[in-house]
Amino acid sequence: MKQYEVYRHIRGRALIFGLPVAFFALQMLAVIGSLMAVIFSFDLVLLFGAMMANGILYGFLLKWAQRPELLPMGNVFPQMISNKKITFNETYDELA
């Protein structure tokens, strides 16, 4: 009988084209902005400049995704979450 390994990395980061979702959204905003610029003022130099700028941005975002210590971010969530009910007496005892 075939045995299956338990997949434990369910909370791993979702990646699109090697980028986290937030970086991918930033990349798509840059692509859409450059497309609008090219469409509304068609210029061959602008077309190549936009392609190069989007490629450079993609490279930087890939580098930041591989080495997140380059972009310092604080921790949003607390270390411990408790369901302990806080009453007035406990709060008063801690303050005294």
Side-chain angles (χ1 to χ4, degrees):
M1 182 174 201
K2 188 173 183 176
Q3 292 183 351
Y4 294 97
E5 183 179 335
V6 176
Y7 182 68
R8 298 188 186 273
H9 301 291
I10 193 72
R11 296 185 187 264
R13 293 176 19 184
L15 298 176
I16 303 171
F17 292 119
L19 296 173
V21 176
F23 284 171
F24 179 75
L26 180 67
Q27 177 69 41
M28 287 300 106
L29 284 174
V31 167
I32 291 170
S34 64
L35 280 174
M36 288 179 65
V38 167
I39 288 171
F40 288 117
S41 62
F42 187 74
D43 186 18
L44 203 56
V45 175
L46 182 65
L47 177 68
F48 289 122
M51 286 174 41
M52 194 162 53
N54 285 326
I56 290 170
L57 177 65
Y58 182 67
F60 280 133
L61 292 176
L62 275 179
K63 190 71 78 174
W64 279 345
Q66 291 171 356
R67 299 187 57 201
E69 66 271 4
L70 295 176
L71 188 64
M73 290 185 200
N75 194 1
V76 177
F77 296 106
Q79 292 291 337
M80 184 177 76
I81 298 174
S82 174
N83 287 337
K84 182 180 176 184
K85 188 175 184 179
I86 298 175
T87 62
F88 178 72
N89 294 336
E90 291 175 10
T91 307
Y92 181 73
D93 292 338
E94 290 176 5
L95 293 176

